[in-house]
Amino acid sequence: QVQLVESGGGLVQAGGSLRLSCAASGSFLSIVDMGWYRQAPGKQRELVAAITRGSSTNYDGSVKGRFTISRDNAKNTVYLQMNSLKPEDTGIYFCAARLPLHPEYDYWGRGTQVTVSS
């Protein structure tokens, strides 16, 4: 059973930084694409950053230049470094894993809350 566990969320002032971690069970991380999603209060879940198994990255325009996604396959962990945080970055952040050739993400963590105060 694949498990993803997020950590690193919390309360931070606008302009501050947080680093989220997503720890994956087992040793399958090297074969999957990974993504970080955000769900703001009253809104749909949206993809904010993604990294392929080849370490190519993609970002939503709202976080480009402020967030950095990275992966450490040896530690079975994916990170999201968030800088220059804004109140609109507030939400629950989920990590997700997608198996090769699958169109949708297959596995999800339970999320970690990020709150940015103004």
Side-chain angles (χ1 to χ4, degrees), residues 20 34-40 44-51 57-69 80 82 88-89 92-95 105:
L20 305 183
M34 296 293 296
W36 281 99
Y37 280 74
R38 173 175 67 203
Q39 186 164 22
Q44 288 190 329
R45 195 176 299 187
E46 60 178 353
L47 180 66
V48 295
I51 186 166
T57 58
N58 190 40
Y59 299 93
D60 182 79
S62 65
V63 307
K64 209 166 191 177
R66 300 188 297 120
F67 289 12
T68 302
I69 187 171
L80 185 67
M82 306 187 295
E88 51 263 42
D89 294 319
I92 302 174
Y93 284 71
F94 301 86
C95 70
Y105 283 89

Side-chain angles (χ1 to χ4, degrees), residues 26-102:
S27 57
F28 80 113
L29 197 67
S30 62
I31 68 167
V32 297
D33 298 333
M34 296 293 296
W36 281 99
Y37 280 74
R38 173 175 67 203
Q39 186 164 22
K43 295 188 178 180
Q44 288 190 329
R45 195 176 299 187
E46 60 178 353
L47 180 66
V48 295
I51 186 166
T52 68
R53 52 191 181 278
S55 293
S56 295
T57 58
N58 190 40
Y59 299 93
D60 182 79
S62 65
V63 307
K64 209 166 191 177
R66 300 188 297 120
F67 289 12
T68 302
I69 187 171
S70 61
R71 62 193 300 157
D72 186 336
N73 292 339
K75 294 183 178 180
N76 293 316
T77 302
V78 174
Y79 305 97
L80 185 67
Q81 178 67 44
M82 306 187 295
N83 299 328
S84 302
L85 283 161
K86 305 176 180 180
E88 51 263 42
D89 294 319
T90 293
I92 302 174
Y93 284 71
F94 301 86
C95 70
R98 182 174 63 203
L99 293 168
L101 304 180
H102 283 208

